[in-house]
Amino acid sequence: MALRLTGSHILQPEDPERDEHPDTSSSEDEEDDEDLNWDDWVSDSLAKRPCKSLFENRTFDTVQEALLYDETTHGFNFKTISERLGLDPYKRIRLINWIRKEHPSSSEVAALTGTEPFFTSDEYLKPSLEDDPLLQIEPDDWSDSDEEEELEKPEPPKDLASATRRIQALQRKLEQAKKDLAYYRQFVSERLNLADLTNELKKADEASSSTHVAVPLRDDDSHYFQSYAENDIHSVMINDKVRTASYAKFILSNQEAFKDAVVMDVGCGTGILSLFAAKAGAKRVFSIDASDIAEKAKQIVKANELDNVITVIRGKVEDIKLPEGYDKVDIIVSEWMGYALLYESMLDSVLHARDRFLRPGGIMAPSQTQMMFALCEAGELFKERIGFWSDVYGFDLSAMATDVYDDAVVDVVGPETVVSEPVVIKDLYLGDITPKQLDFSSPFKLVSTSDRRIKVHSFVLYFDTYFTSTGEPIPPEADVYIVKEGDPVLAEVWPLGGRPYQARRMSSGSPLKGKGLPKITSFSTGPASVPTHWKQTIFFLREPISVAGGTVVEGIFKCKKSSENSRELDVEIHYTVKDPEDTSTPDVFVQLYKVR
Ligand code: SAH
């Protein structure tokens, strides 16, 4: 979110120490006065900037004039409405931006209840008007209260009564500043989950009384949601038949679960999964998306005459409210998986939705994903991405290849390149996994299956996805379904010529022996499957490994959200290589990668 918080008391709080020592020395008193004057100066200089009316295309010389005009001509008093609706600093910012962007009439503004979706939408944290002085003044600047007069008096108080009033006013102001700061901290850590940034803010607090330097807020969302506003990305996803057909297959062949269910589609995009859910008999579907694509989803739902079942709600799932009468849902369906499974960090949002909206015993779809890890010979890809640079028109451009070792490479490798049995390096059961567990460190042991000595250039990572009809975990013996070219699953769900789907023609989920077990639908993004848009994630090795049959590559795979961008991943792979007959102590290799 492009949050511009310039309210001086939010980013430049008073030193909390002062509150604990009311008997301050005279020099500290002077400092207080200096701070006060500085703040007053900020408010004053802002208030004196040209300012546009909230309701008309007229600009006034000062904020006060603009406010006075809006009050006398349109009956709009910001302080009154803020108090009536109990608006916190962020809601006040959203209100101004909403008025500026949507141009409601003053009577529409007067009729607001405080529960309108824009009060919780990040979209309206972005200034609608560049450098809007109304966003930069404090709420108390909107009116001429006695208290403000008390604070604005630059000269020392003349008698005890006015000194007491002034101290009380300052204390109230300090309390408000502390509350705002606490709110702000909570807001930042909830939205961005950034322990680092909170620490930065703490440091900034400590420095603030002397420097008044504001810490810019980081925004990992705007670009992310913008990228989902594009048509192309949705076209790629929908055309990924392994992906879309598997979702369709699960939803449409589990009508017993979907019939009359209340479903939430987290990150609905075009609304495709919601449409499947409605077709499967859902009573009500709430389709949530924070990107502009939500507007397209609304049109799509209407065009398919499903607006009596599907309600598209635009906003981050973390912020939205369900309509009156709805509290919990029976099923959460979401396609949240990113490259290397966790790139994008959308799973955090889905888990948030689970904790807030899924009824006890409800179904998460998918219900489980597993990150798979294997040795990958990757000779061809190595030549293409790295070897290629060493001879370009007879010149050595190898310097271009070095980054390849720092960043994971997303590309397709064939099944023949995999030279060990894959192992599960992270098993994510959506029923109970927590966001904290998404930063992890897992040991692995890969045994070469090569029948001759070869050079292994990389590790490969991919994921398998499972949907169980009950939302329960898969039994250990369950095998992932590998989609092959020409597989009926691709044709059954989306037959050539776009004929409507008929549930009875569907094959059931992947076979599971025994009765009473949940029906399972699954797909793999591994090299053995028809390639998906996720491809595979390749970690090239600076030192290729020499392996023969039985060589053991053992180590630890660490994965965590990047501290620079919470949607990116930092991966660390520590490993040793040991041939079966070798008795020496092997060297430990460590390589760091970014998935970005
Ligand atoms: N369900 C669609 C789109 C999947 S892509 C399909 O299967 O084709 C993921 C979508 O989730 C994107 O459109 C993105 O904007 C949305 N999204 C990601 N995080 C979100 C969040 N926290 N709140 C709401 N929408 C989110």
Side-chain angles (χ1 to χ4, degrees):
M1 84 216 113
L3 179 58
R4 254 192 86 207
L5 275 178
T6 43
S8 59
H9 71 293
I10 293 177
L11 288 181
Q12 298 140 8
E14 311 276 348
D15 182 350
E17 290 288 317
R18 290 177 199 164
D19 190 40
E20 287 163 25
H21 306 288
D23 275 332
T24 46
S25 71
S26 59
S27 71
E28 279 168 320
D29 272 338
E30 270 162 40
E31 264 174 50
D32 269 1
D33 278 343
E34 260 168 45
D35 263 6
L36 188 64
N37 292 340
W38 192 89
D39 277 350
D40 287 345
W41 177 82
V42 171
S43 288
D44 275 4
S45 59
L46 284 169
K48 280 177 191 138
R49 284 196 357 222
C51 180
K52 208 172 146 196
S53 154
L54 282 167
F55 299 97
E56 287 178 45
N57 197 10
R58 293 185 58 169
T59 302
F60 296 85
D61 288 344
T62 65
V63 170
Q64 271 71 21
E65 282 174 47
L67 290 175
L68 190 64
Y69 179 81
D70 284 345
E71 182 162 13
T72 50
T73 316
H74 297 281
F76 173 84
N77 182 308
F78 190 70
K79 193 164 160 80
T80 312
I81 191 163
S82 290
E83 279 170 8
R84 181 170 67 76
L85 302 180
L87 302 184
D88 62 42
Y90 297 91
K91 290 187 173 166
R92 293 196 289 265
I93 287 172
R94 289 182 178 109
L95 175 61
I96 295 165
N97 289 327
W98 176 76
I99 298 176
R100 295 256 194 240
K101 186 163 182 214
E102 310 296 345
H103 310 294
S105 66
S106 50
S107 49
E108 280 173 293
V109 174
L112 290 171
T113 59
T115 57
E116 288 73 11
F118 77 81
F119 277 120
T120 49
S121 161
D122 286 352
E123 189 193 340
Y124 295 100
L125 286 172
K126 282 188 236 157
S128 302
L129 188 69
E130 206 184 320
D131 216 14
D132 189 346
L134 287 191
L135 296 180
Q136 302 172 35
I137 64 170
E138 296 174 25
D140 286 338
D141 295 333
W142 294 80
S143 79
D144 301 324
S145 73
D146 292 349
E147 190 163 281
E148 270 311 292
E149 262 174 37
E150 205 61 67
L151 286 176
E152 275 164 12
K153 279 177 196 158
E155 73 278 7
K158 297 206 171 40
D159 52 29
L160 187 60
S162 62
T164 311
R165 271 204 311 280
R166 186 157 173 197
I167 288 167
Q168 283 168 346
L170 279 169
Q171 275 171 343
R172 271 192 291 276
K173 198 173 179 192
L174 184 60
E175 278 314 304
Q176 185 59 41
K178 279 185 181 168
K179 262 193 233 153
D180 284 347
L181 182 67
Y183 177 88
Y184 168 69
R185 280 227 177 87
Q186 190 194 351
F187 178 90
V188 168
S189 57
E190 268 174 17
R191 297 300 179 82
L192 303 177
N193 194 13
L194 294 175
D196 289 358
L197 183 56
T198 312
N199 283 338
E200 286 306 311
L201 284 167
K202 251 193 207 149
K203 281 189 229 149
D205 277 4
E206 281 153 24
S208 68
S209 53
S210 55
T211 61
H212 291 285
V213 173
V215 178
L217 279 180
R218 200 177 74 187
D219 171 18
D220 295 344
D221 276 2
S222 303
H223 172 72
Y224 175 72
F225 288 120
Q226 261 155 28
S227 68
Y228 275 113
E230 309 291 330
N231 272 17
D232 284 358
I233 191 167
H234 293 280
S235 160
V236 165
M237 288 188 293
I238 286 176
N239 278 301
D240 178 345
K241 288 195 182 178
V242 173
R243 177 201 91 112
T244 311
S246 300
Y247 272 85
K249 180 178 168 181
F250 170 71
I251 297 170
L252 298 168
S253 64
N254 276 290
Q255 303 202 0
E256 59 284 3
F258 280 85
K259 181 102 187 63
D260 294 328
V262 178
V263 177
M264 177 179 278
D265 177 358
V266 177
C268 66
T270 54
I272 182 72
L273 306 183
S274 304
L275 298 170
F276 290 142
K279 269 272 180 290
K283 178 167 73 185
R284 192 79 195 263
V285 184
F286 297 113
S287 316
I288 323 297
D289 208 296
S291 154
D292 285 355
I293 194 72
E295 302 306 323
K296 281 272 163 64
K298 287 180 193 169
Q299 291 171 24
I300 290 168
V301 166
K302 236 188 175 150
N304 286 279
E305 295 173 10
L306 284 166
D307 42 342
N308 54 337
V309 178
I310 302 175
T311 306
V312 178
I313 303 174
R314 184 175 173 172
K316 279 184 75 173
V317 74
E318 290 86 343
D319 302 336
I320 58 119
K321 273 198 199 132
L322 289 182
E324 201 67 15
Y326 289 91
D327 186 23
K328 299 281 174 201
V329 302
D330 304 304
I331 302 175
I332 289 183
V333 59
S334 181
E335 198 281 82
W336 51 265
M337 295 85 83
Y339 296 131
L341 186 66
L342 296 177
Y343 177 75
E344 289 184 41
S345 297
M346 186 178 159
L347 180 53
D348 292 77
S349 303
V350 174
L351 299 183
H352 185 104
R354 174 197 68 192
D355 296 342
R356 225 177 119 205
F357 296 114
L358 191 66
R359 72 160 165 78
I363 298 173
M364 294 295 288
S367 44
Q368 196 160 346
T369 55
Q370 293 183 332
M371 286 169 102
M372 309 299 292
F373 197 59
L375 290 177
C376 181
E377 177 269 326
E380 280 308 305
L381 197 62
F382 176 83
K383 272 189 220 145
E384 206 180 286
R385 297 277 185 141
I386 300 172
F388 152 80
W389 291 109
S390 62
D391 181 8
V392 179
Y393 291 87
F395 297 104
D396 181 0
L397 273 60
S398 304
M400 296 296 290
T402 52
D403 293 354
V404 175
Y405 298 112
D406 299 328
D407 288 320
V409 170
V410 175
D411 212 330
V412 174
V413 287
E416 71 290 347
T417 66
V418 178
V419 289
S420 73
E421 282 302 322
V423 296
V424 177
I425 43 152
K426 182 74 180 171
D427 194 351
L428 301 97
Y429 171 54
L430 277 275
D432 63 12
I433 194 154
T434 62
K436 250 189 164 174
Q437 293 167 328
L438 305 183
D439 284 354
F440 64 94
S441 182
S442 298
F444 64 84
K445 181 176 177 182
L446 302 170
V447 183
S448 161
T449 49
S450 177
D451 53 7
R452 59 200 167 84
R453 189 154 285 281
I454 53 163
K455 257 188 188 174
V456 167
H457 291 94
S458 75
F459 292 108
V460 60
L461 176 83
Y462 61 90
F463 61 90
D464 294 341
T465 303
Y466 298 86
F467 305 79
T468 57
S469 53
T470 53
E472 287 166 285
I474 50 166
E477 70 272 21
D479 280 333
V480 72
Y481 185 76
I482 304 284
V483 178
K484 301 280 185 203
E485 253 353 306
D487 196 306
V489 72
L490 304 180
E492 278 180 355
V493 174
W494 191 357
L496 231 60
R499 273 179 291 122
Y501 160 80
Q502 288 164 16
R504 66 181 179 283
R505 295 199 306 120
M506 296 289 295
S507 54
S508 64
S510 64
L512 251 195
K513 303 122 213 156
K515 279 210 170 115
L517 292 172
K519 209 160 64 180
I520 298 178
T521 305
S522 61
F523 69 90
S524 175
T525 64
S529 167
V530 166
T532 66
H533 78 288
W534 289 288
K535 304 180 181 176
Q536 286 92 38
T537 304
I538 309 296
F539 299 99
F540 276 117
L541 302 170
R542 285 181 197 278
E543 297 279 342
I545 305 172
S546 165
V547 303
T551 306
V552 174
V553 181
E554 214 169 346
I556 295 177
F557 181 93
K558 297 183 181 188
C559 178
K560 65 176 171 57
K561 287 187 185 67
S562 156
S563 53
E564 287 143 38
N565 181 336
S566 62
R567 299 206 175 268
E568 298 177 354
L569 303 173
D570 285 340
V571 166
E572 226 177 281
I573 304 176
H574 301 221
Y575 64 95
T576 60
V577 181
K578 209 163 174 3
D579 279 329
E581 66 280 5
D582 190 354
T583 49
S584 61
T585 310
D587 289 335
V588 179
F589 297 90
V590 179
Q591 254 193 262
L592 311 182
Y593 304 86
K594 291 208 165 287
V595 182
R596 59 183 167 191

